[in-house]
Amino acid sequence: MPLTRLLTIIAGVTFILGLMLWLINSFYRLYLELAYASPFLGNLLILLMIVLLAVLIAAFVYYLGLFPNSPGRKTQPRKIRPKIPAQKTEAAEETLKAIRRQVDQIQDEVARQALISRSREIETYLARGDLQVVVFGTGSAGKTSLVNALIGRMVGRVAAPMGTTEVGETYQLKLKGLDREILITDTPGILEAGVAGTEREEIARQLATEADLLLFVVDNDLQKSEYNPLRALAEIGKRSIVVFNKTDIYPAEDREAILARLRYRVRGFVSSMDVVETAANPLPVRLETGEVFQPDPDIMPLIRRMAAVLRSEGEDLIADNILLQSQRLGDEARRLLDAQRRRQAEKVVERFQWIGAGVISVTPLPVVDLLATAAVNAQMVVEIGRIYGCELNTERGRELALSLGKTLASLGIVKGAIELVATALQLNLGTFVIGKAIQGVTAAYLTRIAGKSFIEYFRHDQDWGDGGITEVVQRQFQLNKKDEFVKAFIKDAIAQVVEPLRDKLPGGRAELQEGELETEGVIEKVPVYKQEAYLEEEDEPGDDWQSPKKRRDEW
């Protein structure tokens, strides 16, 4: 106890005792006088004296700090957990709510449970608010040695061969001045050989994307294979400290040169202050006496930089990471849901394309330009919209179908489709094909283009994009012109359209002979012409039956 405080207490006790003696004597005399005149007044005086003494004693005890919360009592201040910035926290919570709504729509049970598990992890992390520090880098660059030095004990095997750390291991670390727990994770090395090495690298990269702060460990100048992942992590918002480890094996001049090159290479996305040097597990030194001396780890530059970063930016780092993790999980949920919806919508398109092909092949259209309108079924549009959560009535579906059908005709895609289908069928069948088969297969092809276009329309919240409906339809036409698709499509078309038509021929003949055309079950002899003639713009001289324009109109 300080001397001044002790003297104050002694003086206070002496004064109070003296005052009490004086008061007792004074009150006694006063009591005798009052009691003689009135016994009631004498008793009241005694009560007042007792109350006064109690107040004095209580004041003295309070000063000494014997009561809770008194000035003299030193209490341990209660730790108040720092708050994560509210705006980013609220954004993360809203994202997690949206994820839960999307997860309910995902049919793949394995994927759905994985998303639920990950969202719960993020919610737990949001509630706890621990600082996640991940040690990342090439295989056996000294990551485990660095973790050992940071936490002051051996936590993993330290050896030269790659593959020492096979899974992510997490340990607790405490730094002065930080109220939050620090969880430091040692990851497998990157750039290891073999299938197992690739799998470990995937684990390491995943852990790195979940870090609040990344310690990227190298033992020399950055290679391109190291620079690329470091740059990629910085681009998604990861705060990094580049740790140049094993500096004890380099002469001072070489060490400074490597450190300068490192700072130059990472300029623009890692501050020069965030490039530090360490010797986490220095090599033993043989003294002149012959004794072997083991130097202590030299990691103070890293500890000082980590402490500075986590003290000044820790709360923002946690908030940014939680927001990033929730957004990435939301992107994954949207990707899974989009893939599921696309598969369902493509089944709808496939069903309608062969329905339309069957109808048109049985009842061919007199004018080929009508194929565009006939191929786009309003009910198909309604069903695709329903898959994407858009409830359309039949009238709206008809409007959209008509609009896209006109676009198909105006872009010349109908003629291009006829040419594509006719050529592909002739190459596959080795003979001329009747017109109604070509019309049916072409209708199926146009239905597919229309259906794929509508899938893009509904995927983007009923928006055709900057290029409008024209650009979307043209892009789908180009995608569906690729050889690998056309071969598969024609193979299906032969089975779905051409073969049923062949089976209807009289006598069950496998194919029409050259110069024959089926008309209502009767085989008629007609002049033969190649399908390409339908695409000619001008009439050619000769027999009227051979006039391409005439044939197109007749068809």
Side-chain angles (χ1 to χ4, degrees), residues 127-344:
R128 289 180 55 187
D130 296 328
L131 284 160
Q132 305 278 343
V133 178
V134 172
V135 184
F136 185 78
T138 56
S140 295
K143 301 186 305 299
T144 302
S145 298
L146 193 65
V147 175
N148 290 339
L150 282 171
I151 68 174
R153 62 187 176 90
M154 293 295 291
V155 296
R157 293 186 296 116
V158 180
M162 287 188 175
T164 298
T165 304
E166 297 182 357
V167 294
E169 300 289 345
T170 301
Y171 311 95
Q172 287 187 337
L173 177 67
K174 187 67 179 174
L175 288 179
K176 274 188 176 182
L178 285 176
D179 294 325
R180 294 189 182 277
E181 288 289 334
I182 300 173
L183 301 180
I184 185 164
T185 300
D186 184 15
T187 63
I190 61 173
L191 309 178
E192 296 179 5
V195 175
T198 302
E199 291 175 353
R200 288 195 293 269
E201 181 170 341
E202 287 299 319
I203 295 173
R205 288 177 181 268
Q206 178 61 35
L207 291 170
T209 62
E210 298 171 4
D212 296 323
L213 178 65
L214 192 68
L215 304 184
F216 195 98
V217 185
V218 296
D219 58 1
N220 204 322
D221 192 10
L222 271 179
Q223 302 175 22
K224 185 176 181 181
S225 54
E226 296 171 308
Y227 174 88
N228 289 338
L230 176 60
R231 181 64 184 263
L233 289 165
E235 288 176 350
I236 66 170
K238 290 292 120 181
R239 182 74 161 81
S240 300
I241 295 177
V242 177
V243 183
F244 172 31
N245 194 28
K246 299 186 179 181
T247 55
D248 57 296
I249 66 176
Y250 297 98
E253 185 177 342
D254 292 346
R255 186 168 64 245
E256 290 300 323
I258 293 172
L259 198 61
R261 285 200 299 272
L262 284 171
R263 286 171 174 158
Y264 175 78
R265 295 192 193 285
V266 299
R267 70 193 189 284
F269 60 95
V270 176
S271 168
S272 60
M273 296 177 63
D274 290 330
V275 181
V276 298
E277 53 182 323
T278 62
N281 186 27
L283 295 176
V285 177
R286 184 173 295 277
L287 303 177
E288 293 180 356
T289 59
E291 297 179 1
V292 176
F293 172 70
Q294 178 62 56
D296 292 330
D298 181 13
I299 58 169
M300 282 309 297
L302 173 60
I303 292 176
R304 283 194 294 268
R305 189 57 192 156
M306 278 180 60
V309 170
L310 294 177
R311 283 175 191 147
S312 61
E313 306 175 32
E315 308 312 313
D316 283 328
L317 289 177
I318 292 175
D320 289 340
N321 191 31
I322 291 174
L323 185 57
L324 174 64
Q325 295 307 316
S326 61
Q327 288 173 342
R328 286 169 65 89
L329 189 62
D331 291 341
E332 177 66 12
R334 283 189 292 274
R335 186 188 66 78
L336 289 171
L337 187 57
D338 182 62
Q340 173 184 297
R341 286 170 167 173
R342 181 183 285 275
R343 288 193 298 270
Q344 293 172 341

Side-chain angles (χ1 to χ4, degrees), residues 366-384:
V367 181
V368 294
D369 287 344
L370 293 177
L371 274 175
T373 304
V376 188
N377 190 296
Q379 185 58 33
M380 178 183 72
V381 179
V382 172
E383 291 191 22
I384 294 174

Side-chain angles (χ1 to χ4, degrees), residues 41-53:
L41 291 176
N43 293 332
L44 182 62
L45 181 62
I46 291 175
L47 179 62
L48 289 174
M49 183 177 67
I50 293 172
V51 171
L52 179 61
L53 285 174

